Amino acid sequence: MPDISIVIPVYNEEKNIYKLHERLTDIIQKMQLSYEFVFVNDGSRDNSLNLVKGLASTDPHIRFIDFSRNFGHQVAVTAGLDHCKGDAVVIIDSDLQDPPELIAEMYSKMKEGYEVVYAKRKSRAGENFLKKFTAKVFYRLLAKITSVEIPVDTGDFRIMNKKIVEVLKQMPEQQKYLRGQIPWIGFRQTYVEYDRDERHAGETGYTYRKMLRFAMDGITSFSTAPLKFATASGFAVSFISFIWIIYALFARFIIRDYVPGWTSIMIAVLFIGGVQLICIGIIGEYISRMSANIRNRPLYVIRETNVE
Ligand code: UDP
Ligand code: MG
C-alpha cells in the first residue's frame, strides 16, 4: 500500500500532463513517501490518453483509468477514489491551477491530527470576472442554505485519509458534489490557504452549462431550501389571492362597481401561473435527480485500465 495516492481527472489536458507529472513527482519524492498516481481520462478528445499511457510504460507509479466517454469531473474523481489504495489521498486538477507543491503543507497539516485538509483559494488568477463572481456568490449562497458546513471558495483540491475515502465509497448518490459530501462526513477537517494559479495551458473543460448543472447538483443534494421557497411563495400568493377575492366580491355586490375587469384578471392569472410553474420546476429538479438514483445505473464505464 502506498503512503499517498494522487487522483487526477483528465479532460483534454495534453499540454499539461508532462509538466504535471514532473512537478508532482518532484514534490512527492522530496517528501520521501511511497506513492501512486491515478490518472482518470474522462473521455478526452485530444492526445491525453496516449501521453498518460506512455508515461505509465516508463513510470511504474502510474495507474490509469480510461472512461468510455466523458462522464464529468466529479465522476472521474469518484472513479479515482474507488480505485486508489493509498493511506492518504489527494485530489488535484491536471491543469496545474492547483500547485502540487502545496501537497507537502497539506500532508504535514494532516499529520497534526486531521482527517481532511482542503485547500482554500485566497485568489484566483487567470479566470474571468463572470466565473469568479458566480463562484463567489454561489459558494456563499450554498453555505447559507445548507445545514452542512460547506467551506466557501474551496474546490476539490484536498488531502484526506483512507477513512474518509471508505465512507465516500458508501455514499451512493449519482449526483456527486464531493466538496459537500466530504464536509458532511465530519471528523476533524481543516484548511490551508493558497493562491490559485492560472491554467498552465489549454482551455477550461467546465462550460457554463456544466457549471450550472454542478451548482444545481450541489444545491439539491444538500438543501431543501428551494422546496421551502416553493411552499412559502405558494402561501404568499394564496394569501394575496384571498384578499383579492374578498375585494372582488365586495366590489361586485356592495359597491356594485363591476367594470369589465380584464386587467386584474390577466394579472392574477399570469401571476399565479408564473408562481405555479416556478414551483413545479423546482419540484422537477428534485424528482429528476430522484429518478436518476432509482435507475441506479453504474456511475461510469471503463474502457481500459492498468489498475489491478
Ligand atoms: N475535467 C474532467 N472532466 C470534465 C471537465 C474537466 O475530468 O468534463 C477535469 C480537468 O481536466 C481538470 C479538472 O477536471 O483536471 C478541472 O477542470 P477545469 O480546469 O476545466 O475547470 P476550471 O478549473 O476551469 O473550473
Ligand atoms: Mg482548471
Side-chain angles (χ1 to χ4, degrees):
M1 299 295 146
D3 296 326
I4 193 166
S5 300
I6 316 281
V7 171
I8 312 156
V10 176
Y11 179 63
N12 298 343
E13 304 280 10
E14 61 184 4
K15 296 200 187 95
N16 302 321
I17 301 239
Y18 284 145
K19 189 88 194 151
L20 175 73
H21 176 252
E22 186 187 309
R23 277 176 64 181
L24 276 173
T25 306
D26 253 19
I27 183 69
I28 305 286
Q29 284 184 348
K30 273 204 196 103
M31 291 163 70
Q32 300 189 325
L33 301 173
S34 60
Y35 62 98
E36 64 171 358
F37 297 144
V38 184
F39 284 90
V40 184
N41 178 43
D42 184 17
S44 296
R45 291 165 204 277
D46 65 0
N47 206 24
S48 300
L49 176 69
N50 288 331
L51 298 187
V52 171
K53 282 166 81 173
L55 282 174
S57 65
T58 55
D59 179 353
H61 298 100
I62 295 187
R63 317 264 171 278
F64 68 85
I65 296 166
D66 179 31
F67 278 177
S68 60
R69 62 171 172 83
N70 179 248
F71 281 89
H73 168 233
Q74 296 287 299
V75 177
V77 173
T78 304
L81 297 177
D82 287 344
H83 293 88
C84 68
K85 303 194 175 75
D87 284 329
V89 179
V90 171
I91 304 171
I92 191 168
D93 284 358
S94 41
D95 57 1
L96 291 163
Q97 283 198 287
D98 305 331
E101 294 71 26
L102 197 69
I103 295 173
E105 191 185 335
M106 287 155 73
Y107 187 79
S108 59
K109 189 100 189 178
M110 189 172 77
K111 287 291 160 188
E112 289 170 18
Y114 294 97
E115 273 78 17
V116 180
V117 181
Y118 53 89
K120 191 168 168 183
R121 301 159 178 171
K122 254 192 309 188
S123 67
R124 310 173 65 141
E127 282 169 323
N128 69 32
F129 170 78
L130 191 58
K131 177 143 189 166
K132 281 196 266 203
F133 178 74
T134 49
K136 203 172 170 127
V137 170
F138 170 70
Y139 285 128
R140 277 154 189 81
L141 172 78
L142 187 65
K144 267 221 155 57
I145 62 177
T146 49
S147 47
V148 184
E149 268 182 50
I150 301 177
V152 297
D153 301 333
T154 303
D156 290 318
F157 186 29
R158 63 189 66 206
I159 189 167
M160 53 204 165
N161 76 9
K162 217 188 170 86
K163 214 167 14 177
I164 298 283
V165 178
E166 289 308 317
V167 181
L168 276 177
K169 284 188 199 165
Q170 288 167 27
M171 294 171 80
E173 55 252 59
Q174 298 261 328
Q175 295 76 33
K176 298 291 175 189
Y177 189 75
L178 291 161
R179 49 197 83 169
Q181 286 175 269
I182 295 169
W184 180 92
I185 295 173
F187 295 114
R188 280 152 302 176
Q189 310 205 359
T190 188
Y191 64 92
V192 297
E193 284 187 314
Y194 76 115
D195 294 302
R196 187 162 163 86
D197 290 332
E198 226 171 301
R199 233 177 196 278
H200 175 250
E203 277 165 23
T204 177
Y206 261 100
T207 55
Y208 281 104
R209 200 191 157 119
K210 278 186 185 174
M211 276 200 296
L212 188 64
R213 189 183 327 138
F214 184 48
M216 290 298 283
D217 283 345
I219 292 173
T220 52
S221 303
F222 287 94
S223 175
T224 50
L227 287 173
K228 288 185 188 125
F229 164 79
T231 314
S233 57
F235 274 113
V237 171
S238 304
F239 179 73
I240 295 166
S241 307
F242 179 73
I243 307 264
W244 208 325
I245 288 166
I246 302 274
Y247 169 75
L249 292 173
F250 178 78
R252 170 69 181 76
F253 293 111
I254 311 293
I255 52 178
R256 296 189 175 272
D257 164 27
Y258 49 97
V259 260
W262 188 81
T263 316
S264 55
I265 289 174
M266 285 311 282
I267 291 172
V269 168
L270 292 176
F271 183 53
I272 295 172
V275 171
Q276 277 178 341
L277 285 180
I278 292 172
C279 295
I280 292 172
I282 291 171
I283 296 168
E285 292 292 334
Y286 282 85
I287 291 182
S288 71
R289 283 165 176 81
M290 274 167 60
S291 64
N293 282 299
I294 291 167
R295 280 199 296 274
N296 207 11
R297 287 185 190 143
L299 205 54
Y300 49 85
V301 178
I302 295 176
R303 189 200 309 269
E304 187 187 355
T305 175
N306 67 350
V307 179
E308 302 93 46

